[in-house]
Amino acid sequence: MDTGFIKIDRSSPLPLYKQLEDCIVKAIGEGVLKTGDKLPTEDELAETFGLSRPVVRQAYGALVGARLVSRERGRGSFVRAPSSIRPHASLLGFSQETLLTGGIPVTRVLSFGRAELPENLSSCISSAFSDAFFLERVRYTNGTASSHLKTWVPYERFPGIGSYDFTLDSLYATLFKLYGVRPTRAVRTVWASAADARTAEAMELEPGSPVMRMLNIVYDEQDELMEVGIEFYLPDVQSFTFEVHSA
């Protein structure tokens, strides 16, 4: 396979595994890699680009966790992305989703640490937890602040999660790498809102500016709670796609 779509820049602040992962995701989004295509082996990539096997393995692991790539014993790794990506209708990480749809993603972490899940959010879930890891981020798409996220993760279930750099690493990719869990179901509620002082500052808006607010409750393959989040989006930058079926 031609690997010309892979560009590794050793002067970049991005880790090598992240550069490799992003190149493959972007190639899938642009149609350079198509569903069913076989990817180079870890040894081939390591030799071609002077990478260590653990670096390649970490990149492939993130792609497998996002269900963009499948591994078949004795055969290799294959692209399993759908032929069309519907923005915000999937459970991919922000970076992967943005690259697939042609954007340039950047994440800024505003705050993180141990915290309690707010009472108003505890009432929205059946298995409430009090001890949480709290993560607050701003996401930029093509240089524009597109979303402000406040996320709570059950700390008892994912101890040590706070030691990772979520400026570079996706929350979902980290949860898959460390704990072997990945999101498979989300309950999302979206409504019109006005930016409060914190969101306005984070997204460089005037207080009271119109935003879309989303309550995001995410479950893993065992239908156990992974994440509770409140997310704010610019209405003229982000869109949501819903598919509705009759009973």
Side-chain angles (χ1 to χ4, degrees):
M1 170 183 286
D2 180 12
T3 57
F5 60 89
I6 297 175
K7 308 294 183 185
I8 301 296
D9 179 4
R10 282 176 166 76
S11 66
S12 170
L14 277 182
L16 296 176
Y17 77 87
K18 184 62 177 170
Q19 292 186 50
L20 178 57
E21 176 195 342
D22 287 354
C23 286
I24 294 173
V25 172
K26 190 170 184 288
I28 293 172
E30 293 176 345
V32 175
L33 292 174
K34 298 178 175 58
T35 301
D37 281 353
K38 184 177 181 180
L39 295 174
T41 66
E42 292 178 3
D43 286 340
E44 288 169 343
L45 285 178
E47 182 178 351
T48 300
F49 296 98
L51 303 172
S52 67
R53 286 194 65 188
V55 164
V56 180
R57 192 175 301 119
Q58 187 168 356
Y60 273 16
L63 295 167
V64 170
R67 300 192 178 195
L68 294 176
V69 167
S70 63
R71 282 181 175 146
E72 298 182 20
R73 186 179 296 274
R75 296 191 63 221
S77 300
F78 297 84
V79 176
R80 58 171 293 181
S83 57
S84 62
I85 303 297
R86 293 183 297 154
H88 311 292
S90 62
L91 284 172
L92 296 172
F94 165 72
S95 176
Q96 295 158 336
E97 186 176 83
T98 304
L99 287 166
L100 282 169
T101 52
I104 300 173
V106 173
T107 296
R108 180 163 64 98
V109 175
L110 299 182
S111 62
F112 63 93
R114 300 279 285 276
E116 289 189 8
L117 182 68
E119 187 175 343
N120 65 318
L121 295 181
S122 293
S123 63
C124 298
I125 56 179
S126 58
S127 53
F129 55 93
S130 57
D131 188 10
F133 170 67
F134 172 69
L135 178 62
E136 183 183 17
R137 294 162 289 174
V138 178
R139 289 170 169 170
Y140 298 83
T141 303
N142 298 330
T144 298
S146 55
S147 59
H148 174 214
L149 295 85
K150 298 179 180 180
T151 302
W152 291 264
V153 173
Y155 191 84
E156 182 176 341
R157 188 177 179 206
F158 305 118
I161 192 68
S163 61
Y164 287 81
D165 182 1
F166 292 104
T167 300
L168 299 176
D169 290 334
S170 158
L171 175 62
Y172 291 164
T174 301
L175 290 175
F176 179 72
K177 177 176 67 175
L178 296 181
Y179 307 100
V181 300
R182 55 187 168 192
T184 57
R185 182 172 73 90
V187 179
R188 291 172 169 171
T189 305
V190 182
W191 67 99
S193 184
D196 60 18
R198 180 66 172 175
T199 296
E201 178 184 11
M203 299 183 69
E204 301 179 4
L205 303 171
E206 290 294 325
S209 297
V211 292
M212 292 188 295
R213 180 184 300 211
M214 182 170 74
L215 170 64
N216 190 34
I217 304 172
V218 182
Y219 299 86
D220 67 11
E221 293 169 304
Q222 306 303 317
D223 214 32
E224 293 189 39
L225 184 67
M226 283 181 61
E227 169 197 1
V228 179
I230 293 290
E231 307 178 2
F232 302 88
Y233 295 90
L234 291 179
D236 58 343
V237 173
Q238 303 287 0
S239 64
F240 296 88
T241 301
F242 298 90
E243 186 172 308
V244 180
H245 297 268
S246 60

Coordinates of all heavy atoms in Angstrom, one line a residue, residues 51-141:
L51 N 9.7 4.4 13.3 CA 9.0 4.4 14.5 C 9.2 3.1 15.3 O 9.5 2.1 14.7 CB 7.5 4.6 14.2 CG 7.1 5.8 13.4 CD1 5.6 5.7 13.0 CD2 7.3 7.1 14.1
S52 N 8.9 3.2 16.6 CA 9.0 1.9 17.4 C 7.6 1.2 17.2 O 6.6 1.9 17.0 CB 9.2 2.2 18.8 OG 8.2 2.9 19.4
R53 N 7.6 -0.1 17.4 CA 6.4 -0.8 17.4 C 5.4 -0.4 18.4 O 4.2 -0.3 18.1 CB 6.7 -2.3 17.5 CG 7.3 -2.9 16.3 CD 7.2 -4.4 16.3 NE 5.9 -4.9 16.3 CZ 5.5 -6.2 16.5 NH1 6.5 -7.1 16.7 NH2 4.3 -6.6 16.4
P54 N 5.8 0.0 19.6 CA 4.8 0.5 20.6 C 4.1 1.7 20.1 O 2.9 1.9 20.4 CB 5.6 0.7 21.9 CG 6.7 -0.3 21.8 CD 7.1 -0.3 20.3
V55 N 4.8 2.6 19.4 CA 4.2 3.8 18.9 C 3.1 3.5 17.9 O 2.0 4.0 17.9 CB 5.2 4.7 18.2 CG1 4.6 5.8 17.4 CG2 6.1 5.4 19.3
V56 N 3.4 2.6 17.0 CA 2.4 2.1 16.0 C 1.3 1.4 16.6 O 0.1 1.6 16.3 CB 3.1 1.2 14.9 CG1 2.0 0.8 13.9 CG2 4.2 2.0 14.2
R57 N 1.6 0.6 17.6 CA 0.5 -0.2 18.3 C -0.4 0.7 19.0 O -1.6 0.5 19.1 CB 1.2 -1.2 19.3 CG 0.2 -2.2 19.9 CD 0.9 -3.2 20.7 NE 2.0 -3.9 20.0 CZ 3.3 -3.9 20.3 NH1 3.7 -3.2 21.3 NH2 4.1 -4.5 19.5
Q58 N 0.1 1.8 19.6 CA -0.8 2.8 20.3 C -1.7 3.5 19.3 O -2.9 3.7 19.6 CB 0.1 3.8 21.1 CG -0.7 4.7 22.0 CD 0.1 5.5 23.0 OE1 1.3 5.3 23.0 NE2 -0.5 6.3 23.7
A59 N -1.2 3.9 18.2 CA -2.0 4.5 17.2 C -3.1 3.6 16.7 O -4.3 3.9 16.6 CB -1.2 5.0 16.0
Y60 N -2.7 2.3 16.4 CA -3.7 1.4 15.9 C -4.7 1.1 17.0 O -5.9 0.8 16.8 CB -3.0 0.1 15.5 CG -2.6 0.1 14.0 CD1 -2.5 1.3 13.3 CD2 -2.2 -1.0 13.3 CE1 -2.1 1.3 12.0 CE2 -1.8 -1.0 12.0 CZ -1.8 0.2 11.3 OH -1.4 0.2 10.0
G61 N -4.3 1.0 18.3 CA -5.2 0.8 19.4 C -6.3 1.8 19.5 O -7.5 1.5 19.7
A62 N -5.9 3.1 19.3 CA -6.9 4.2 19.3 C -7.9 4.0 18.2 O -9.1 4.3 18.4 CB -6.2 5.5 19.3
L63 N -7.4 3.6 17.0 CA -8.3 3.5 15.9 C -9.3 2.3 16.1 O -10.4 2.4 15.7 CB -7.5 3.3 14.6 CG -6.6 4.5 14.2 CD1 -5.6 4.1 13.1 CD2 -7.5 5.6 13.7
V64 N -8.8 1.2 16.7 CA -9.6 0.1 17.0 C -10.7 0.5 18.0 O -11.8 0.1 17.9 CB -8.8 -1.1 17.5 CG1 -9.7 -2.2 18.0 CG2 -7.9 -1.6 16.3
G65 N -10.2 1.2 19.0 CA -11.2 1.7 20.1 C -12.3 2.5 19.5 O -13.4 2.5 20.0
A66 N -12.0 3.3 18.5 CA -13.0 4.2 17.8 C -13.8 3.5 16.8 O -14.7 4.0 16.2 CB -12.3 5.4 17.2
R67 N -13.5 2.2 16.6 CA -14.2 1.4 15.6 C -14.0 1.9 14.2 O -14.9 1.7 13.3 CB -15.7 1.2 15.9 CG -15.9 0.6 17.3 CD -17.3 0.2 17.5 NE -17.5 -0.4 18.8 CZ -18.5 -1.1 19.1 NH1 -19.5 -1.3 18.3 NH2 -18.6 -1.6 20.3
L68 N -12.9 2.5 13.9 CA -12.5 2.9 12.6 C -11.7 1.8 11.9 O -11.6 1.8 10.7 CB -11.7 4.2 12.6 CG -12.5 5.5 13.0 CD1 -11.6 6.7 13.1 CD2 -13.7 5.7 12.1
V69 N -11.1 1.0 12.7 CA -10.2 -0.1 12.2 C -10.6 -1.4 13.0 O -10.9 -1.3 14.1 CB -8.7 0.3 12.4 CG1 -7.8 -0.9 12.2 CG2 -8.3 1.4 11.5
S70 N -10.5 -2.5 12.3 CA -10.7 -3.8 12.9 C -9.5 -4.6 12.7 O -8.8 -4.5 11.7 CB -11.9 -4.5 12.3 OG -11.7 -4.8 10.9
R71 N -9.2 -5.5 13.7 CA -8.0 -6.4 13.6 C -8.5 -7.8 13.5 O -9.4 -8.2 14.2 CB -7.2 -6.3 14.9 CG -6.3 -5.1 14.9 CD -5.5 -5.1 16.2 NE -4.5 -4.0 16.2 CZ -4.1 -3.3 17.3 NH1 -4.7 -3.7 18.5 NH2 -3.3 -2.4 17.3
E72 N -8.0 -8.5 12.5 CA -8.4 -9.9 12.3 C -7.1 -10.8 12.4 O -6.1 -10.6 11.8 CB -9.0 -10.0 10.9 CG -10.2 -9.2 10.7 CD -10.8 -9.4 9.3 OE1 -10.5 -10.4 8.6 OE2 -11.6 -8.5 8.9
R73 N -7.2 -11.7 13.4 CA -6.1 -12.5 13.7 C -5.6 -13.3 12.4 O -6.4 -13.9 11.7 CB -6.5 -13.6 14.8 CG -5.3 -14.4 15.3 CD -5.7 -15.4 16.3 NE -6.2 -14.7 17.5 CZ -5.4 -14.2 18.5 NH1 -4.1 -14.4 18.4 NH2 -5.9 -13.6 19.5
G74 N -4.3 -13.1 12.2 CA -3.7 -13.8 11.0 C -3.9 -13.1 9.7 O -3.2 -13.5 8.7
R75 N -4.7 -12.1 9.7 CA -4.9 -11.4 8.4 C -4.4 -9.9 8.4 O -3.9 -9.4 7.5 CB -6.4 -11.4 8.1 CG -7.0 -12.8 7.8 CD -8.4 -12.6 7.2 NE -8.3 -12.0 5.9 CZ -9.2 -11.1 5.5 NH1 -10.2 -10.7 6.3 NH2 -9.1 -10.5 4.3
G76 N -4.6 -9.2 9.6 CA -4.1 -7.9 9.6 C -5.2 -6.9 10.1 O -6.2 -7.3 10.7
S77 N -4.9 -5.6 9.8 CA -5.8 -4.5 10.3 C -6.5 -3.9 9.0 O -5.9 -3.7 8.0 CB -5.1 -3.5 11.0 OG -4.4 -4.0 12.1
F78 N -7.8 -3.7 9.2 CA -8.6 -3.2 8.0 C -9.5 -2.0 8.4 O -9.9 -1.9 9.5 CB -9.5 -4.4 7.5 CG -8.8 -5.6 7.0 CD1 -8.4 -6.5 7.9 CD2 -8.6 -5.7 5.7 CE1 -7.7 -7.7 7.5 CE2 -7.9 -6.8 5.2 CZ -7.4 -7.8 6.1
V79 N -9.7 -1.1 7.4 CA -10.5 0.0 7.6 C -12.0 -0.4 7.7 O -12.4 -1.2 6.9 CB -10.4 1.0 6.4 CG1 -11.4 2.2 6.6 CG2 -9.0 1.5 6.4
R80 N -12.7 0.0 8.7 CA -14.1 -0.3 8.9 C -15.0 0.9 9.0 O -16.1 0.8 9.5 CB -14.3 -1.3 10.0 CG -13.9 -0.7 11.4 CD -14.3 -1.6 12.5 NE -15.7 -1.6 12.7 CZ -16.4 -2.3 13.6 NH1 -15.7 -3.1 14.4 NH2 -17.7 -2.3 13.7
A81 N -14.5 2.1 8.5 CA -15.3 3.3 8.6 C -16.5 3.2 7.7 O -16.4 2.6 6.6 CB -14.5 4.5 8.3
P82 N -17.7 3.8 8.1 CA -18.8 3.8 7.2 C -18.5 4.7 6.0 O -17.6 5.5 6.0 CB -19.9 4.4 8.0 CG -19.2 5.2 9.1 CD -17.9 4.4 9.4
S83 N -19.2 4.5 4.9 CA -19.0 5.2 3.7 C -19.3 6.7 3.8 O -18.7 7.5 3.1 CB -19.8 4.7 2.5 OG -21.2 4.7 2.8
S84 N -20.1 7.1 4.7 CA -20.4 8.5 5.0 C -20.4 8.7 6.5 O -21.0 7.9 7.2 CB -21.7 8.9 4.3 OG -22.8 8.2 4.9
I85 N -19.9 9.8 6.9 CA -19.8 10.2 8.3 C -20.8 11.3 8.6 O -20.8 12.3 7.9 CB -18.4 10.7 8.7 CG1 -17.4 9.6 8.4 CG2 -18.4 11.1 10.2 CD1 -17.5 8.3 9.1
R86 N -21.7 11.0 9.5 CA -22.7 12.1 9.9 C -22.2 12.8 11.1 O -22.2 12.2 12.2 CB -24.1 11.4 10.1 CG -24.7 10.8 8.9 CD -26.1 10.3 9.2 NE -26.0 9.2 10.2 CZ -27.0 8.9 11.0 NH1 -28.1 9.5 11.0 NH2 -26.8 7.8 11.8
P87 N -21.9 14.1 11.0 CA -21.3 14.8 12.2 C -22.3 14.7 13.4 O -23.5 14.9 13.2 CB -21.2 16.2 11.7 CG -21.1 16.1 10.2 CD -21.9 14.9 9.8
H88 N -21.7 14.4 14.5 CA -22.4 14.4 15.8 C -23.5 13.4 15.9 O -24.3 13.4 16.8 CB -23.0 15.8 16.1 CG -22.0 16.9 15.9 ND1 -20.9 17.1 16.7 CD2 -21.9 17.8 14.9 CE1 -20.2 18.1 16.2 NE2 -20.7 18.6 15.1
A89 N -23.5 12.4 15.0 CA -24.5 11.3 15.1 C -23.7 10.0 15.5 O -24.3 9.0 15.5 CB -25.2 11.1 13.8
S90 N -22.4 10.2 15.8 CA -21.6 9.0 16.1 C -21.0 9.2 17.5 O -21.3 10.2 18.2 CB -20.4 8.9 15.1 OG -19.6 10.1 15.2
L91 N -20.3 8.2 18.0 CA -19.7 8.3 19.3 C -18.2 8.2 19.2 O -17.5 7.5 19.9 CB -20.2 7.1 20.2 CG -21.6 7.3 20.7 CD1 -22.1 6.1 21.4 CD2 -21.7 8.5 21.7
L92 N -17.6 9.0 18.2 CA -16.2 9.1 18.0 C -15.7 10.2 19.0 O -16.4 11.0 19.5 CB -15.9 9.4 16.6 CG -16.2 8.4 15.5 CD1 -16.0 9.0 14.1 CD2 -15.4 7.2 15.7
G93 N -14.4 10.2 19.2 CA -13.8 11.3 19.9 C -13.8 12.5 19.0 O -13.9 12.5 17.7
F94 N -13.6 13.7 19.6 CA -13.7 15.0 18.9 C -12.7 15.1 17.7 O -13.0 15.4 16.6 CB -13.5 16.1 19.8 CG -13.2 17.5 19.2 CD1 -14.2 18.1 18.5 CD2 -12.0 18.0 19.3 CE1 -13.9 19.4 17.9 CE2 -11.7 19.2 18.7 CZ -12.7 19.9 18.0
S95 N -11.5 14.7 18.1 CA -10.4 14.8 17.1 C -10.7 13.9 15.9 O -10.6 14.3 14.7 CB -9.0 14.4 17.7 OG -8.0 14.4 16.7
Q96 N -11.1 12.7 16.1 CA -11.3 11.7 15.0 C -12.5 12.2 14.2 O -12.5 12.2 13.0 CB -11.6 10.4 15.6 CG -10.4 9.8 16.3 CD -10.8 8.7 17.3 OE1 -11.9 8.7 17.8 NE2 -9.9 7.8 17.6
E97 N -13.6 12.7 14.9 CA -14.8 13.1 14.1 C -14.5 14.3 13.3 O -14.9 14.4 12.1 CB -15.9 13.4 15.1 CG -17.2 13.8 14.5 CD -18.3 14.0 15.6 OE1 -18.3 15.1 16.1 OE2 -19.0 13.1 15.8
T98 N -13.7 15.3 13.8 CA -13.4 16.5 13.1 C -12.5 16.2 11.9 O -12.7 16.8 10.8 CB -12.7 17.5 14.0 OG1 -13.6 17.8 15.2 CG2 -12.5 18.8 13.3
L99 N -11.5 15.4 12.1 CA -10.6 15.0 11.0 C -11.4 14.3 9.9 O -11.2 14.5 8.7 CB -9.5 14.1 11.4 CG -8.4 14.8 12.3 CD1 -7.5 13.8 13.0 CD2 -7.5 15.7 11.4
L100 N -12.3 13.4 10.2 CA -13.1 12.7 9.3 C -14.0 13.6 8.4 O -14.3 13.3 7.3 CB -14.0 11.6 10.0 CG -13.3 10.4 10.4 CD1 -14.3 9.6 11.3 CD2 -12.9 9.5 9.2
T101 N -14.4 14.7 9.0 CA -15.3 15.6 8.3 C -14.5 16.8 7.7 O -15.1 17.8 7.3 CB -16.4 16.1 9.2 OG1 -15.9 16.6 10.4 CG2 -17.4 15.0 9.5
G102 N -13.2 16.7 7.7 CA -12.4 17.7 7.0 C -11.9 18.9 7.8 O -11.4 19.9 7.2
G103 N -12.1 18.9 9.1 CA -11.7 20.0 9.9 C -10.4 19.8 10.6 O -9.8 18.7 10.5
I104 N -9.9 20.9 11.2 CA -8.7 20.8 12.0 C -9.0 21.0 13.4 O -9.5 22.0 13.9 CB -7.7 21.9 11.5 CG1 -7.4 21.8 10.0 CG2 -6.4 21.9 12.4 CD1 -6.5 22.9 9.5
P105 N -8.8 19.9 14.3 CA -9.2 20.0 15.7 C -8.1 20.4 16.6 O -6.9 20.1 16.4 CB -9.6 18.5 15.9 CG -8.6 17.7 15.1 CD -8.4 18.6 13.9
V106 N -8.5 21.2 17.6 CA -7.6 21.6 18.7 C -8.4 21.6 20.0 O -9.6 22.0 20.0 CB -7.0 23.0 18.5 CG1 -6.2 23.4 19.7 CG2 -6.1 23.0 17.3
T107 N -7.9 21.1 21.1 CA -8.5 21.1 22.4 C -7.7 21.8 23.4 O -6.5 21.7 23.4 CB -8.8 19.6 22.8 OG1 -9.6 19.0 21.9 CG2 -9.4 19.6 24.2
R108 N -8.4 22.7 24.2 CA -7.7 23.4 25.3 C -8.4 22.9 26.6 O -9.6 23.0 26.7 CB -7.8 24.9 25.1 CG -7.2 25.7 26.2 CD -7.0 27.1 25.8 NE -8.2 27.9 25.5 CZ -8.8 28.7 26.4 NH1 -8.2 28.9 27.6 NH2 -9.9 29.3 26.1
V109 N -7.6 22.5 27.5 CA -8.1 22.0 28.8 C -8.2 23.3 29.7 O -7.1 23.9 30.0 CB -7.3 20.9 29.4 CG1 -7.8 20.6 30.9 CG2 -7.3 19.7 28.6
L110 N -9.4 23.6 30.3 CA -9.5 24.7 31.2 C -9.3 24.3 32.6 O -8.7 25.0 33.4 CB -10.9 25.3 31.0 CG -11.3 25.9 29.7 CD1 -12.7 26.5 29.7 CD2 -10.2 26.9 29.2
S111 N -9.8 23.2 33.0 CA -9.7 22.7 34.4 C -9.9 21.2 34.5 O -10.6 20.6 33.6 CB -10.6 23.4 35.4 OG -12.0 23.2 35.0
F112 N -9.4 20.6 35.5 CA -9.6 19.1 35.7 C -9.3 18.8 37.2 O -8.6 19.5 37.9 CB -8.8 18.3 34.8 CG -7.3 18.4 35.0 CD1 -6.6 17.5 35.8 CD2 -6.6 19.4 34.3 CE1 -5.3 17.6 36.0 CE2 -5.2 19.5 34.5 CZ -4.6 18.6 35.3
G113 N -9.9 17.7 37.7 CA -9.6 17.2 39.0 C -10.8 16.5 39.6 O -11.9 16.4 39.0
R114 N -10.6 16.0 40.8 CA -11.7 15.3 41.5 C -12.8 16.3 41.9 O -12.5 17.5 42.3 CB -11.2 14.7 42.8 CG -10.1 13.7 42.6 CD -10.6 12.3 42.2 NE -11.2 11.6 43.3 CZ -10.5 10.9 44.1 NH1 -9.2 10.8 44.0 NH2 -11.1 10.2 45.1
A115 N -14.0 15.9 41.8 CA -15.2 16.8 42.1 C -16.4 15.9 42.3 O -16.4 14.7 42.1 CB -15.4 17.7 40.9
E116 N -17.5 16.5 42.8 CA -18.7 15.9 43.0 C -19.6 16.1 41.7 O -19.5 17.2 41.1 CB -19.5 16.4 44.2 CG -18.9 15.9 45.5 CD -19.7 16.3 46.7 OE1 -20.9 16.7 46.5 OE2 -19.3 16.1 47.8
L117 N -20.4 15.1 41.4 CA -21.3 15.3 40.3 C -22.4 16.2 40.8 O -23.0 15.9 41.8 CB -21.9 13.9 39.9 CG -22.9 14.0 38.7 CD1 -22.2 14.3 37.4 CD2 -23.6 12.6 38.5
P118 N -22.7 17.3 40.1 CA -23.8 18.2 40.5 C -25.1 17.5 40.7 O -25.4 16.6 40.0 CB -23.8 19.2 39.4 CG -22.5 19.2 38.8 CD -22.0 17.8 38.9
E119 N -25.9 18.0 41.7 CA -27.1 17.3 42.0 C -28.1 17.3 40.9 O -28.8 16.3 40.7 CB -27.7 18.0 43.3 CG -29.0 17.3 43.8 CD -29.5 18.0 45.1 OE1 -28.7 18.8 45.7 OE2 -30.7 17.7 45.4
N120 N -28.1 18.4 40.1 CA -29.1 18.4 39.0 C -28.7 17.4 37.9 O -29.6 17.0 37.2 CB -29.1 19.8 38.4 CG -27.8 20.2 37.7 OD1 -26.7 20.0 38.3 ND2 -27.8 20.9 36.6
L121 N -27.5 17.0 37.8 CA -27.1 15.9 36.9 C -27.3 14.5 37.5 O -27.7 13.6 36.8 CB -25.6 16.1 36.5 CG -25.3 17.3 35.7 CD1 -23.8 17.4 35.3 CD2 -26.2 17.5 34.4
S122 N -27.1 14.4 38.8 CA -27.4 13.1 39.5 C -28.8 12.7 39.3 O -29.1 11.5 39.1 CB -27.1 13.2 41.0 OG -25.7 13.4 41.2
S123 N -29.7 13.6 39.2 CA -31.1 13.3 39.1 C -31.5 12.8 37.7 O -32.5 12.3 37.4 CB -32.0 14.5 39.4 OG -31.8 15.5 38.5
C124 N -30.5 13.0 36.7 CA -30.8 12.6 35.3 C -30.3 11.1 35.0 O -30.6 10.6 33.9 CB -30.0 13.5 34.4 SG -30.5 15.2 34.4
I125 N -29.7 10.5 36.0 CA -29.1 9.1 35.7 C -29.6 8.2 36.8 O -29.9 8.6 37.9 CB -27.6 9.1 35.7 CG1 -27.0 9.7 36.9 CG2 -27.1 9.9 34.4 CD1 -25.5 9.7 37.0
S126 N -29.7 6.9 36.4 CA -30.2 5.9 37.4 C -29.1 5.4 38.4 O -29.4 5.0 39.5 CB -30.8 4.7 36.6 OG -29.8 4.1 35.8
S127 N -27.8 5.5 37.9 CA -26.7 5.0 38.8 C -25.8 6.2 39.1 O -24.8 6.4 38.6 CB -25.9 3.9 38.0 OG -25.5 4.4 36.7
A128 N -26.3 7.0 40.0 CA -25.6 8.2 40.3 C -24.3 7.9 41.1 O -24.2 6.9 41.8 CB -26.5 9.2 41.2
F129 N -23.3 8.8 40.9 CA -22.1 8.6 41.6 C -21.7 10.0 42.2 O -22.0 11.0 41.6 CB -21.0 8.1 40.7 CG -20.8 8.9 39.4 CD1 -19.8 9.9 39.4 CD2 -21.5 8.7 38.3 CE1 -19.6 10.7 38.3 CE2 -21.4 9.5 37.2 CZ -20.4 10.4 37.1
S130 N -21.0 10.0 43.3 CA -20.7 11.3 43.9 C -19.2 11.7 43.7 O -18.9 12.8 43.4 CB -20.9 11.2 45.5 OG -20.2 10.2 46.0
D131 N -18.3 10.7 43.7 CA -16.9 10.9 43.4 C -16.6 10.9 42.0 O -16.7 9.8 41.3 CB -16.1 9.9 44.2 CG -14.6 10.3 44.2 OD1 -14.2 11.4 43.8 OD2 -13.8 9.4 44.6
A132 N -16.3 12.0 41.4 CA -16.1 12.1 39.9 C -14.7 12.7 39.6 O -14.1 13.4 40.4 CB -17.2 12.9 39.3
F133 N -14.3 12.4 38.4 CA -13.2 13.2 37.7 C -13.9 14.2 36.8 O -14.6 13.8 35.9 CB -12.3 12.2 37.0 CG -11.3 13.0 36.1 CD1 -10.3 13.7 36.7 CD2 -11.4 13.0 34.7 CE1 -9.4 14.5 35.9 CE2 -10.5 13.7 33.9 CZ -9.5 14.4 34.5
F134 N -13.6 15.4 37.1 CA -14.2 16.5 36.3 C -13.2 17.0 35.3 O -12.0 17.3 35.6 CB -14.6 17.7 37.2 CG -15.1 18.9 36.5 CD1 -16.3 18.9 35.8 CD2 -14.3 20.1 36.5 CE1 -16.7 20.0 35.1 CE2 -14.8 21.2 35.9 CZ -16.0 21.2 35.2
L135 N -13.6 17.2 34.0 CA -12.8 17.7 33.0 C -13.5 18.8 32.2 O -14.6 18.6 31.7 CB -12.4 16.5 32.0 CG -11.6 16.8 30.8 CD1 -10.2 17.4 31.2 CD2 -11.4 15.6 29.9
E136 N -12.9 20.0 32.1 CA -13.5 21.1 31.4 C -12.6 21.5 30.2 O -11.5 21.7 30.4 CB -13.7 22.3 32.3 CG -14.4 23.5 31.6 CD -14.6 24.7 32.6 OE1 -13.8 24.7 33.6 OE2 -15.3 25.6 32.2
R137 N -13.2 21.5 29.0 CA -12.4 21.8 27.8 C -13.1 22.8 26.9 O -14.4 22.9 26.9 CB -12.2 20.5 27.0 CG -11.4 19.4 27.7 CD -11.6 18.1 27.1 NE -12.9 17.5 27.5 CZ -13.4 16.4 27.0 NH1 -12.6 15.7 26.1 NH2 -14.5 15.9 27.3
V138 N -12.4 23.4 26.0 CA -12.9 24.2 24.9 C -12.3 23.5 23.7 O -11.1 23.2 23.6 CB -12.4 25.6 24.9 CG1 -12.9 26.3 23.6 CG2 -13.0 26.3 26.1
R139 N -13.2 23.3 22.7 CA -12.7 22.7 21.4 C -12.8 23.7 20.3 O -13.7 24.5 20.2 CB -13.6 21.5 21.1 CG -13.3 20.3 22.0 CD -14.4 19.2 21.8 NE -14.0 18.0 22.5 CZ -14.8 16.9 22.7 NH1 -16.0 17.0 22.2 NH2 -14.4 15.8 23.3
Y140 N -11.8 23.6 19.5 CA -11.7 24.6 18.3 C -11.7 23.8 17.0 O -11.0 22.8 16.9 CB -10.4 25.4 18.4 CG -10.2 26.2 19.6 CD1 -9.8 25.7 20.8 CD2 -10.6 27.6 19.6 CE1 -9.7 26.5 22.0 CE2 -10.4 28.4 20.7 CZ -10.0 27.8 21.9 OH -9.9 28.6 23.0
T141 N -12.5 24.2 16.1 CA -12.6 23.6 14.8 C -12.1 24.7 13.7 O -12.7 25.7 13.6 CB -14.0 23.1 14.4 OG1 -14.4 22.2 15.4 CG2 -14.0 22.4 13.1

